[in-house]
Amino acid sequence: MEGITFYPQGDRAVTVRFGTEINEDIHENVMKLTNLLKQEPFSGMEEVVPSYHTVTVYYHPTRLSKTSLHPYEQIISILKQKLISSPRITLQNSTIITIPICYGGNYGPDLATVANFHQLSETDIIEYHLNQTYKVYMIGFVPGFPYLGGMDKRIATPRKETPRMAVPNGSVGIGGEQTGIYPIESPGGWQIIGRTPLHLFKATNIRPSILKAGDIVQFKQISEIEYENWDGASTCI
């Protein structure tokens, strides 16, 4: 278990850290442990939350199996055993989801800012953004917000110095070397280059978020007319 560290999150959660970099190999280990815990939960486990390079495991201290160990020590022991077993987990093929996006104009107010920052045309920015496939590394910030890895570094752009108080639902933004999609209206400081008409998060659904960690996202450009006439019934193209 070289390179793997553990640390508590209060008295009801433990985080397992696999490293500090954002890369496919580390995230594969994250997802293997996540999937194993979901398939074979231990007594008292409540939730498992994957991120770029960590897995946080939430538990109820009074519902753990009775042992002489302190709850934290017991959880660490359980997780170490799970880590020994996790390499046997075979990850399912990632689900590929196409997200329609209308770039620029009223839907992408920061597209020109990003283009000027890199001394490129807006068409170049759109092309670089479209020509990548993106992996969903984690869901966070607000419910259903996907952090997407794999963006072309040629369009990496710092966040806004002053965040907006309200970013519209569906806005697609760039924050540093990442791109992401705002699933609900919320404050935010990412550079907004476009918007999708899809509703990525619906709290009343059995599965509220369309996207999950491990999914693959592809963007497909649509016009303003196509955006405005989107029927809202589809989840992807």
Side-chain angles (χ1 to χ4, degrees), residues 220-231:
K220 178 177 180 178
Q221 186 175 10
I222 60 174
S223 67
E224 287 191 13
I225 293 176
E226 288 175 303
Y227 182 99
E228 292 165 1
N229 291 332
W230 194 262
D231 63 14

Side-chain angles (χ1 to χ4, degrees), residues 113-152:
T113 299
V114 173
N116 291 335
F117 181 84
H118 294 285
Q119 296 184 333
L120 295 168
S121 69
E122 293 185 15
T123 300
D124 288 335
I125 301 300
I126 294 171
E127 180 180 348
Y128 292 149
H129 193 259
L130 280 173
N131 287 348
Q132 301 294 113
T133 56
Y134 301 89
K135 183 173 184 178
V136 180
Y137 274 91
M138 59 181 287
I139 302 293
F141 168 51
V142 295
F145 185 102
Y147 286 85
L148 306 178
M151 190 181 73
D152 193 319

